[in-house]
Amino acid sequence: MYSVIFSCRMDIRRNKPPLVELLDSFEALTTEEEKQKSEFLIKFDEDDPKIPDDAFFDRYSFPIKRFIWGRHGGRSSLHEVQNVLYNLTSPNCEFVQVIADDFVFTRPNFVSEILEYSGKYVIIGEEGITHHVPPSGSGGYAPCFSTKIIDATSGFGCHCNSDGFAFGLADELTSRYTYNPIVDFELYYARLDPASTQDDNCKFLKCCHAGSSRVFPILARNIVANMEMEGYNINE
């Protein structure tokens, strides 16, 4: 199963909420079989006066689970949302897509193609992406992790930037163990407002680099230990 998790606010959008475009794009670009193998888990802040009601979600033919609780630390606590939502995904979840409500999906077949990597220690990405170079034409990187990766790291840790979390793991696994978990994958999403991701003064940016955190070497070691216990050849 393919699970999509994110936090959303509806009251900060003046016109059509981008959430509608995100969900509409998934509805339009996926097959019935893919919809049956997918789910969305969305967290709303309890002080958002425009939280959609059940009728809003009933128009879609794939499962959507709505959750509501406090805002807490805002962006700096996004990892807390991700960890909770991950624990609430289907037991059959094989991949978890960490995205934002201002993305849209852009091509068909991507769910089936992602699920072909089930059971592997991988992160869906694009060859050549770095901390400062998101996938070509995307406007931002929305990483999709195999549950093998997230189970080995026991969640998303204390890192609020999911793209930085992916880069940190990839950096450590590549440099220390010569294992690159990033799968070169044809782009299947785009950010509606790419400029919203460009913040060179972001106080969390430095945390996106593996060398800036003592956590990533430990998490990479845990991933490799799990792979070795399963007889996985990291040099393949």
mmCIF file of all heavy atoms in Angstrom, residues 170-216:
data_model
loop_
_atom_site.group_PDB
_atom_site.id
_atom_site.type_symbol
_atom_site.label_atom_id
_atom_site.label_comp_id
_atom_site.label_asym_id
_atom_site.label_seq_id
_atom_site.Cartn_x
_atom_site.Cartn_y
_atom_site.Cartn_z
ATOM 1 N N ALA A 170 20.633 9.436 3.052
ATOM 2 C CA ALA A 170 21.328 9.070 1.816
ATOM 3 C C ALA A 170 22.808 9.410 1.897
ATOM 4 O O ALA A 170 23.669 8.635 1.457
ATOM 5 C CB ALA A 170 20.680 9.772 0.625
ATOM 6 N N ASP A 171 23.131 10.578 2.469
ATOM 7 C CA ASP A 171 24.531 10.977 2.616
ATOM 8 C C ASP A 171 25.312 9.968 3.445
ATOM 9 O O ASP A 171 26.410 9.541 3.077
ATOM 10 C CB ASP A 171 24.625 12.357 3.281
ATOM 11 C CG ASP A 171 24.278 13.488 2.330
ATOM 12 O OD1 ASP A 171 24.108 13.227 1.126
ATOM 13 O OD2 ASP A 171 24.169 14.635 2.809
ATOM 14 N N GLU A 172 24.734 9.599 4.574
ATOM 15 C CA GLU A 172 25.438 8.676 5.473
ATOM 16 C C GLU A 172 25.560 7.280 4.875
ATOM 17 O O GLU A 172 26.618 6.650 4.949
ATOM 18 C CB GLU A 172 24.707 8.606 6.822
ATOM 19 C CG GLU A 172 24.913 9.819 7.707
ATOM 20 C CD GLU A 172 26.341 9.957 8.190
ATOM 21 O OE1 GLU A 172 27.048 8.928 8.305
ATOM 22 O OE2 GLU A 172 26.756 11.097 8.465
ATOM 23 N N LEU A 173 24.479 6.800 4.296
ATOM 24 C CA LEU A 173 24.513 5.455 3.723
ATOM 25 C C LEU A 173 25.485 5.370 2.547
ATOM 26 O O LEU A 173 26.170 4.356 2.358
ATOM 27 C CB LEU A 173 23.106 5.046 3.271
ATOM 28 C CG LEU A 173 22.119 4.733 4.394
ATOM 29 C CD1 LEU A 173 20.700 4.643 3.854
ATOM 30 C CD2 LEU A 173 22.497 3.428 5.096
ATOM 31 N N THR A 174 25.562 6.442 1.782
ATOM 32 C CA THR A 174 26.456 6.446 0.622
ATOM 33 C C THR A 174 27.910 6.593 1.036
ATOM 34 O O THR A 174 28.789 5.856 0.557
ATOM 35 C CB THR A 174 26.078 7.592 -0.343
ATOM 36 O OG1 THR A 174 24.716 7.433 -0.753
ATOM 37 C CG2 THR A 174 26.976 7.576 -1.574
ATOM 38 N N SER A 175 28.187 7.532 1.934
ATOM 39 C CA SER A 175 29.575 7.820 2.294
ATOM 40 C C SER A 175 30.180 6.763 3.213
ATOM 41 O O SER A 175 31.359 6.429 3.082
ATOM 42 C CB SER A 175 29.669 9.199 2.969
ATOM 43 O OG SER A 175 28.922 9.228 4.180
ATOM 44 N N ARG A 176 29.390 6.213 4.123
ATOM 45 C CA ARG A 176 29.924 5.249 5.089
ATOM 46 C C ARG A 176 29.808 3.802 4.621
ATOM 47 O O ARG A 176 30.621 2.958 4.981
ATOM 48 C CB ARG A 176 29.212 5.392 6.447
ATOM 49 C CG ARG A 176 29.509 6.693 7.176
ATOM 50 C CD ARG A 176 28.739 6.769 8.476
ATOM 51 N NE ARG A 176 28.934 8.030 9.156
ATOM 52 C CZ ARG A 176 29.880 8.258 10.080
ATOM 53 N NH1 ARG A 176 30.689 7.279 10.427
ATOM 54 N NH2 ARG A 176 29.985 9.441 10.661
ATOM 55 N N TYR A 177 28.764 3.519 3.850
ATOM 56 C CA TYR A 177 28.502 2.121 3.507
ATOM 57 C C TYR A 177 28.405 1.880 2.001
ATOM 58 O O TYR A 177 28.075 0.758 1.580
ATOM 59 C CB TYR A 177 27.185 1.674 4.178
ATOM 60 C CG TYR A 177 27.199 1.845 5.679
ATOM 61 C CD1 TYR A 177 26.571 2.935 6.277
ATOM 62 C CD2 TYR A 177 27.857 0.930 6.493
ATOM 63 C CE1 TYR A 177 26.585 3.107 7.661
ATOM 64 C CE2 TYR A 177 27.876 1.086 7.883
ATOM 65 C CZ TYR A 177 27.245 2.182 8.455
ATOM 66 O OH TYR A 177 27.260 2.357 9.825
ATOM 67 N N THR A 178 28.660 2.895 1.211
ATOM 68 C CA THR A 178 28.591 2.831 -0.262
ATOM 69 C C THR A 178 27.247 2.304 -0.755
ATOM 70 O O THR A 178 27.184 1.640 -1.802
ATOM 71 C CB THR A 178 29.737 1.973 -0.861
ATOM 72 O OG1 THR A 178 29.582 0.607 -0.459
ATOM 73 C CG2 THR A 178 31.101 2.491 -0.403
ATOM 74 N N TYR A 179 26.206 2.567 -0.001
ATOM 75 C CA TYR A 179 24.863 2.164 -0.413
ATOM 76 C C TYR A 179 24.021 3.409 -0.644
ATOM 77 O O TYR A 179 23.792 4.199 0.284
ATOM 78 C CB TYR A 179 24.198 1.281 0.649
ATOM 79 C CG TYR A 179 22.774 0.906 0.278
ATOM 80 C CD1 TYR A 179 22.532 -0.032 -0.725
ATOM 81 C CD2 TYR A 179 21.679 1.496 0.917
ATOM 82 C CE1 TYR A 179 21.232 -0.368 -1.081
ATOM 83 C CE2 TYR A 179 20.388 1.157 0.569
ATOM 84 C CZ TYR A 179 20.171 0.234 -0.430
ATOM 85 O OH TYR A 179 18.884 -0.098 -0.784
ATOM 86 N N ASN A 180 23.591 3.620 -1.872
ATOM 87 C CA ASN A 180 22.759 4.770 -2.195
ATOM 88 C C ASN A 180 21.294 4.335 -2.226
ATOM 89 O O ASN A 180 20.877 3.593 -3.124
ATOM 90 C CB ASN A 180 23.149 5.363 -3.549
ATOM 91 C CG ASN A 180 22.329 6.591 -3.899
ATOM 92 O OD1 ASN A 180 21.578 7.119 -3.072
ATOM 93 N ND2 ASN A 180 22.466 7.067 -5.118
ATOM 94 N N PRO A 181 20.478 4.801 -1.274
ATOM 95 C CA PRO A 181 19.080 4.357 -1.228
ATOM 96 C C PRO A 181 18.170 5.107 -2.195
ATOM 97 O O PRO A 181 17.022 4.713 -2.384
ATOM 98 C CB PRO A 181 18.683 4.665 0.213
ATOM 99 C CG PRO A 181 19.478 5.896 0.545
ATOM 100 C CD PRO A 181 20.806 5.705 -0.158
ATOM 101 N N ILE A 182 18.669 6.187 -2.815
ATOM 102 C CA ILE A 182 17.835 7.002 -3.685
ATOM 103 C C ILE A 182 17.593 6.285 -5.014
ATOM 104 O O ILE A 182 18.533 5.943 -5.729
ATOM 105 C CB ILE A 182 18.467 8.381 -3.955
ATOM 106 C CG1 ILE A 182 18.703 9.145 -2.647
ATOM 107 C CG2 ILE A 182 17.571 9.193 -4.896
ATOM 108 C CD1 ILE A 182 17.449 9.567 -1.927
ATOM 109 N N VAL A 183 16.330 6.041 -5.325
ATOM 110 C CA VAL A 183 15.947 5.427 -6.595
ATOM 111 C C VAL A 183 15.739 6.528 -7.631
ATOM 112 O O VAL A 183 15.009 7.490 -7.390
ATOM 113 C CB VAL A 183 14.642 4.621 -6.431
ATOM 114 C CG1 VAL A 183 14.138 4.151 -7.788
ATOM 115 C CG2 VAL A 183 14.868 3.427 -5.523
ATOM 116 N N ASP A 184 16.393 6.395 -8.772
ATOM 117 C CA ASP A 184 16.212 7.368 -9.851
ATOM 118 C C ASP A 184 14.850 7.116 -10.491
ATOM 119 O O ASP A 184 14.643 6.117 -11.170
ATOM 120 C CB ASP A 184 17.334 7.216 -10.887
ATOM 121 C CG ASP A 184 17.307 8.320 -11.927
ATOM 122 O OD1 ASP A 184 16.657 9.349 -11.680
ATOM 123 O OD2 ASP A 184 17.932 8.157 -12.987
ATOM 124 N N PHE A 185 13.916 8.029 -10.256
ATOM 125 C CA PHE A 185 12.515 7.790 -10.572
ATOM 126 C C PHE A 185 11.950 8.967 -11.362
ATOM 127 O O PHE A 185 12.226 10.130 -11.054
ATOM 128 C CB PHE A 185 11.743 7.634 -9.251
ATOM 129 C CG PHE A 185 10.403 6.974 -9.369
ATOM 130 C CD1 PHE A 185 10.306 5.598 -9.404
ATOM 131 C CD2 PHE A 185 9.244 7.729 -9.423
ATOM 132 C CE1 PHE A 185 9.065 4.979 -9.489
ATOM 133 C CE2 PHE A 185 7.997 7.126 -9.511
ATOM 134 C CZ PHE A 185 7.912 5.744 -9.541
ATOM 135 N N GLU A 186 11.155 8.673 -12.389
ATOM 136 C CA GLU A 186 10.562 9.741 -13.189
ATOM 137 C C GLU A 186 9.639 10.600 -12.323
ATOM 138 O O GLU A 186 8.778 10.093 -11.601
ATOM 139 C CB GLU A 186 9.761 9.154 -14.350
ATOM 140 C CG GLU A 186 9.143 10.208 -15.258
ATOM 141 C CD GLU A 186 8.273 9.615 -16.354
ATOM 142 O OE1 GLU A 186 8.293 8.375 -16.525
ATOM 143 O OE2 GLU A 186 7.578 10.399 -17.018
ATOM 144 N N LEU A 187 9.822 11.910 -12.411
ATOM 145 C CA LEU A 187 9.074 12.844 -11.578
ATOM 146 C C LEU A 187 7.568 12.678 -11.765
ATOM 147 O O LEU A 187 7.080 12.523 -12.877
ATOM 148 C CB LEU A 187 9.486 14.283 -11.919
ATOM 149 C CG LEU A 187 8.909 15.384 -11.024
ATOM 150 C CD1 LEU A 187 9.424 15.243 -9.602
ATOM 151 C CD2 LEU A 187 9.264 16.753 -11.592
ATOM 152 N N TYR A 188 6.825 12.726 -10.658
ATOM 153 C CA TYR A 188 5.381 12.518 -10.715
ATOM 154 C C TYR A 188 4.596 13.556 -9.913
ATOM 155 O O TYR A 188 3.397 13.392 -9.682
ATOM 156 C CB TYR A 188 5.028 11.114 -10.203
ATOM 157 C CG TYR A 188 5.509 10.822 -8.791
ATOM 158 C CD1 TYR A 188 4.660 10.967 -7.694
ATOM 159 C CD2 TYR A 188 6.815 10.403 -8.552
ATOM 160 C CE1 TYR A 188 5.100 10.696 -6.407
ATOM 161 C CE2 TYR A 188 7.261 10.128 -7.278
ATOM 162 C CZ TYR A 188 6.405 10.282 -6.212
ATOM 163 O OH TYR A 188 6.851 10.016 -4.933
ATOM 164 N N TYR A 189 5.241 14.639 -9.513
ATOM 165 C CA TYR A 189 4.561 15.687 -8.742
ATOM 166 C C TYR A 189 5.206 17.035 -9.040
ATOM 167 O O TYR A 189 6.298 17.124 -9.623
ATOM 168 C CB TYR A 189 4.640 15.401 -7.241
ATOM 169 C CG TYR A 189 6.052 15.249 -6.717
ATOM 170 C CD1 TYR A 189 6.869 16.360 -6.472
ATOM 171 C CD2 TYR A 189 6.586 13.989 -6.484
ATOM 172 C CE1 TYR A 189 8.169 16.218 -6.013
ATOM 173 C CE2 TYR A 189 7.887 13.835 -6.024
ATOM 174 C CZ TYR A 189 8.664 14.954 -5.788
ATOM 175 O OH TYR A 189 9.957 14.804 -5.344
ATOM 176 N N ALA A 190 4.523 18.095 -8.629
ATOM 177 C CA ALA A 190 5.069 19.448 -8.756
ATOM 178 C C ALA A 190 4.470 20.310 -7.655
ATOM 179 O O ALA A 190 3.341 20.072 -7.200
ATOM 180 C CB ALA A 190 4.732 20.049 -10.119
ATOM 181 N N ARG A 191 5.228 21.290 -7.245
ATOM 182 C CA ARG A 191 4.726 22.231 -6.241
ATOM 183 C C ARG A 191 4.037 23.395 -6.934
ATOM 184 O O ARG A 191 4.545 23.933 -7.917
ATOM 185 C CB ARG A 191 5.861 22.746 -5.359
ATOM 186 C CG ARG A 191 5.360 23.422 -4.083
ATOM 187 C CD ARG A 191 6.367 23.365 -2.980
ATOM 188 N NE ARG A 191 5.714 23.511 -1.679
ATOM 189 C CZ ARG A 191 6.298 23.270 -0.521
ATOM 190 N NH1 ARG A 191 7.554 22.868 -0.492
ATOM 191 N NH2 ARG A 191 5.641 23.419 0.616
ATOM 192 N N LEU A 192 2.874 23.785 -6.433
ATOM 193 C CA LEU A 192 2.107 24.841 -7.076
ATOM 194 C C LEU A 192 2.814 26.184 -7.002
ATOM 195 O O LEU A 192 2.723 27.001 -7.913
ATOM 196 C CB LEU A 192 0.721 24.943 -6.424
ATOM 197 C CG LEU A 192 -0.189 23.728 -6.638
ATOM 198 C CD1 LEU A 192 -1.456 23.871 -5.803
ATOM 199 C CD2 LEU A 192 -0.541 23.571 -8.104
ATOM 200 N N ASP A 193 3.522 26.413 -5.904
ATOM 201 C CA ASP A 193 4.239 27.681 -5.724
ATOM 202 C C ASP A 193 5.675 27.378 -5.334
ATOM 203 O O ASP A 193 6.010 27.359 -4.149
ATOM 204 C CB ASP A 193 3.565 28.543 -4.658
ATOM 205 C CG ASP A 193 4.247 29.888 -4.475
ATOM 206 O OD1 ASP A 193 5.088 30.250 -5.330
ATOM 207 O OD2 ASP A 193 3.951 30.582 -3.475
ATOM 208 N N PRO A 194 6.556 27.125 -6.324
ATOM 209 C CA PRO A 194 7.950 26.777 -6.017
ATOM 210 C C PRO A 194 8.655 27.803 -5.157
ATOM 211 O O PRO A 194 9.529 27.466 -4.365
ATOM 212 C CB PRO A 194 8.601 26.682 -7.407
ATOM 213 C CG PRO A 194 7.475 26.403 -8.332
ATOM 214 C CD PRO A 194 6.287 27.142 -7.767
ATOM 215 N N ALA A 195 8.279 29.079 -5.290
ATOM 216 C CA ALA A 195 8.952 30.125 -4.526
ATOM 217 C C ALA A 195 8.772 29.940 -3.028
ATOM 218 O O ALA A 195 9.594 30.394 -2.230
ATOM 219 C CB ALA A 195 8.428 31.495 -4.948
ATOM 220 N N SER A 196 7.717 29.241 -2.622
ATOM 221 C CA SER A 196 7.460 29.066 -1.195
ATOM 222 C C SER A 196 8.503 28.189 -0.529
ATOM 223 O O SER A 196 8.601 28.153 0.699
ATOM 224 C CB SER A 196 6.062 28.462 -0.984
ATOM 225 O OG SER A 196 6.018 27.137 -1.474
ATOM 226 N N THR A 197 9.279 27.453 -1.309
ATOM 227 C CA THR A 197 10.278 26.556 -0.735
ATOM 228 C C THR A 197 11.657 27.210 -0.638
ATOM 229 O O THR A 197 12.565 26.648 -0.039
ATOM 230 C CB THR A 197 10.418 25.280 -1.581
ATOM 231 O OG1 THR A 197 10.978 25.623 -2.857
ATOM 232 C CG2 THR A 197 9.076 24.627 -1.780
ATOM 233 N N GLN A 198 11.800 28.392 -1.246
ATOM 234 C CA GLN A 198 13.106 29.025 -1.296
ATOM 235 C C GLN A 198 13.302 29.956 -0.102
ATOM 236 O O GLN A 198 12.755 31.048 -0.078
ATOM 237 C CB GLN A 198 13.264 29.803 -2.616
ATOM 238 C CG GLN A 198 12.969 28.961 -3.855
ATOM 239 C CD GLN A 198 13.793 27.696 -3.912
ATOM 240 O OE1 GLN A 198 14.998 27.728 -3.693
ATOM 241 N NE2 GLN A 198 13.154 26.579 -4.211
ATOM 242 N N ASP A 199 14.028 29.505 0.879
ATOM 243 C CA ASP A 199 14.268 30.302 2.080
ATOM 244 C C ASP A 199 15.693 30.029 2.544
ATOM 245 O O ASP A 199 15.941 29.160 3.355
ATOM 246 C CB ASP A 199 13.262 29.946 3.174
ATOM 247 C CG ASP A 199 13.452 30.775 4.441
ATOM 248 O OD1 ASP A 199 14.282 31.711 4.405
ATOM 249 O OD2 ASP A 199 12.787 30.487 5.450
ATOM 250 N N ASP A 200 16.628 30.803 2.010
ATOM 251 C CA ASP A 200 18.037 30.577 2.320
ATOM 252 C C ASP A 200 18.363 30.853 3.780
ATOM 253 O O ASP A 200 19.399 30.418 4.285
ATOM 254 C CB ASP A 200 18.913 31.458 1.423
ATOM 255 C CG ASP A 200 18.829 31.049 -0.038
ATOM 256 O OD1 ASP A 200 18.510 29.869 -0.292
ATOM 257 O OD2 ASP A 200 19.066 31.898 -0.916
ATOM 258 N N ASN A 201 17.482 31.581 4.467
ATOM 259 C CA ASN A 201 17.725 31.916 5.865
ATOM 260 C C ASN A 201 17.010 30.959 6.820
ATOM 261 O O ASN A 201 16.960 31.199 8.018
ATOM 262 C CB ASN A 201 17.270 33.352 6.147
ATOM 263 C CG ASN A 201 18.092 34.367 5.371
ATOM 264 O OD1 ASN A 201 19.310 34.251 5.290
ATOM 265 N ND2 ASN A 201 17.426 35.362 4.799
ATOM 266 N N CYS A 202 16.425 29.903 6.259
ATOM 267 C CA CYS A 202 15.697 28.953 7.098
ATOM 268 C C CYS A 202 16.613 28.388 8.186
ATOM 269 O O CYS A 202 17.689 27.865 7.906
ATOM 270 C CB CYS A 202 15.142 27.812 6.245
ATOM 271 S SG CYS A 202 14.357 26.506 7.208
ATOM 272 N N LYS A 203 16.191 28.499 9.434
ATOM 273 C CA LYS A 203 17.035 28.054 10.543
ATOM 274 C C LYS A 203 17.194 26.548 10.602
ATOM 275 O O LYS A 203 18.039 26.034 11.328
ATOM 276 C CB LYS A 203 16.461 28.566 11.861
ATOM 277 C CG LYS A 203 15.082 28.012 12.208
ATOM 278 C CD LYS A 203 14.580 28.621 13.509
ATOM 279 C CE LYS A 203 13.193 28.123 13.868
ATOM 280 N NZ LYS A 203 12.711 28.718 15.135
ATOM 281 N N PHE A 204 16.357 25.813 9.835
ATOM 282 C CA PHE A 204 16.453 24.359 9.839
ATOM 283 C C PHE A 204 17.329 23.830 8.711
ATOM 284 O O PHE A 204 17.585 22.641 8.643
ATOM 285 C CB PHE A 204 15.051 23.750 9.714
ATOM 286 C CG PHE A 204 14.090 24.231 10.765
ATOM 287 C CD1 PHE A 204 13.027 25.038 10.421
ATOM 288 C CD2 PHE A 204 14.269 23.893 12.088
ATOM 289 C CE1 PHE A 204 12.142 25.494 11.382
ATOM 290 C CE2 PHE A 204 13.403 24.344 13.066
ATOM 291 C CZ PHE A 204 12.325 25.142 12.709
ATOM 292 N N LEU A 205 17.781 24.719 7.806
ATOM 293 C CA LEU A 205 18.494 24.275 6.617
ATOM 294 C C LEU A 205 19.753 23.484 6.965
ATOM 295 O O LEU A 205 20.042 22.452 6.379
ATOM 296 C CB LEU A 205 18.854 25.474 5.737
ATOM 297 C CG LEU A 205 19.482 25.154 4.380
ATOM 298 C CD1 LEU A 205 18.519 24.327 3.538
ATOM 299 C CD2 LEU A 205 19.855 26.427 3.643
ATOM 300 N N LYS A 206 20.515 23.979 7.943
ATOM 301 C CA LYS A 206 21.768 23.304 8.270
ATOM 302 C C LYS A 206 21.545 21.901 8.818
ATOM 303 O O LYS A 206 22.430 21.052 8.748
ATOM 304 C CB LYS A 206 22.568 24.131 9.274
ATOM 305 C CG LYS A 206 21.911 24.266 10.649
ATOM 306 C CD LYS A 206 22.788 25.091 11.590
ATOM 307 C CE LYS A 206 22.175 25.205 12.974
ATOM 308 N NZ LYS A 206 23.035 25.994 13.887
ATOM 309 N N CYS A 207 20.347 21.651 9.342
ATOM 310 C CA CYS A 207 20.047 20.322 9.861
ATOM 311 C C CYS A 207 19.819 19.306 8.754
ATOM 312 O O CYS A 207 19.741 18.114 9.018
ATOM 313 C CB CYS A 207 18.796 20.379 10.749
ATOM 314 S SG CYS A 207 18.976 21.417 12.204
ATOM 315 N N CYS A 208 19.697 19.803 7.508
ATOM 316 C CA CYS A 208 19.450 18.905 6.386
ATOM 317 C C CYS A 208 20.704 18.173 5.943
ATOM 318 O O CYS A 208 20.642 17.305 5.086
ATOM 319 C CB CYS A 208 18.888 19.688 5.203
ATOM 320 S SG CYS A 208 17.281 20.439 5.521
ATOM 321 N N HIS A 209 21.839 18.535 6.487
ATOM 322 C CA HIS A 209 23.097 17.924 6.079
ATOM 323 C C HIS A 209 23.533 16.890 7.115
ATOM 324 O O HIS A 209 23.510 17.140 8.314
ATOM 325 C CB HIS A 209 24.181 18.994 5.916
ATOM 326 C CG HIS A 209 23.869 19.975 4.824
ATOM 327 N ND1 HIS A 209 24.289 19.800 3.537
ATOM 328 C CD2 HIS A 209 23.152 21.121 4.832
ATOM 329 C CE1 HIS A 209 23.858 20.806 2.798
ATOM 330 N NE2 HIS A 209 23.166 21.621 3.559
ATOM 331 N N ALA A 210 23.916 15.738 6.618
ATOM 332 C CA ALA A 210 24.269 14.655 7.533
ATOM 333 C C ALA A 210 25.373 15.060 8.492
ATOM 334 O O ALA A 210 25.385 14.668 9.658
ATOM 335 C CB ALA A 210 24.685 13.419 6.732
ATOM 336 N N GLY A 211 26.340 15.843 8.012
ATOM 337 C CA GLY A 211 27.454 16.232 8.863
ATOM 338 C C GLY A 211 27.074 17.151 10.002
ATOM 339 O O GLY A 211 27.863 17.396 10.905
ATOM 340 N N SER A 212 25.839 17.669 9.969
ATOM 341 C CA SER A 212 25.390 18.603 10.992
ATOM 342 C C SER A 212 24.679 17.917 12.142
ATOM 343 O O SER A 212 24.297 18.571 13.103
ATOM 344 C CB SER A 212 24.441 19.641 10.366
ATOM 345 O OG SER A 212 25.061 20.335 9.325
ATOM 346 N N SER A 213 24.477 16.631 12.062
ATOM 347 C CA SER A 213 23.691 15.943 13.079
ATOM 348 C C SER A 213 24.356 14.638 13.491
ATOM 349 O O SER A 213 24.818 13.872 12.651
ATOM 350 C CB SER A 213 22.278 15.664 12.548
ATOM 351 O OG SER A 213 21.564 14.859 13.453
ATOM 352 N N ARG A 214 24.364 14.389 14.784
ATOM 353 C CA ARG A 214 24.913 13.134 15.285
ATOM 354 C C ARG A 214 23.931 11.981 15.121
ATOM 355 O O ARG A 214 24.272 10.814 15.341
ATOM 356 C CB ARG A 214 25.306 13.282 16.745
ATOM 357 C CG ARG A 214 24.120 13.502 17.692
ATOM 358 C CD ARG A 214 24.585 13.699 19.125
ATOM 359 N NE ARG A 214 25.308 12.566 19.613
ATOM 360 C CZ ARG A 214 24.739 11.515 20.222
ATOM 361 N NH1 ARG A 214 23.423 11.484 20.369
ATOM 362 N NH2 ARG A 214 25.464 10.524 20.662
ATOM 363 N N VAL A 215 22.706 12.305 14.737
ATOM 364 C CA VAL A 215 21.675 11.278 14.636
ATOM 365 C C VAL A 215 21.817 10.432 13.376
ATOM 366 O O VAL A 215 21.632 9.215 13.408
ATOM 367 C CB VAL A 215 20.270 11.932 14.671
ATOM 368 C CG1 VAL A 215 19.192 10.889 14.420
ATOM 369 C CG2 VAL A 215 20.038 12.615 16.001
ATOM 370 N N PHE A 216 22.164 11.062 12.247
ATOM 371 C CA PHE A 216 22.168 10.343 10.980
ATOM 372 C C PHE A 216 23.128 9.154 10.946
ATOM 373 O O PHE A 216 22.782 8.099 10.391
ATOM 374 C CB PHE A 216 22.446 11.289 9.815
ATOM 375 C CG PHE A 216 21.284 12.190 9.503
ATOM 376 C CD1 PHE A 216 21.410 13.562 9.602
ATOM 377 C CD2 PHE A 216 20.063 11.665 9.124
ATOM 378 C CE1 PHE A 216 20.343 14.394 9.313
ATOM 379 C CE2 PHE A 216 18.985 12.486 8.838
ATOM 380 C CZ PHE A 216 19.124 13.860 8.934
#
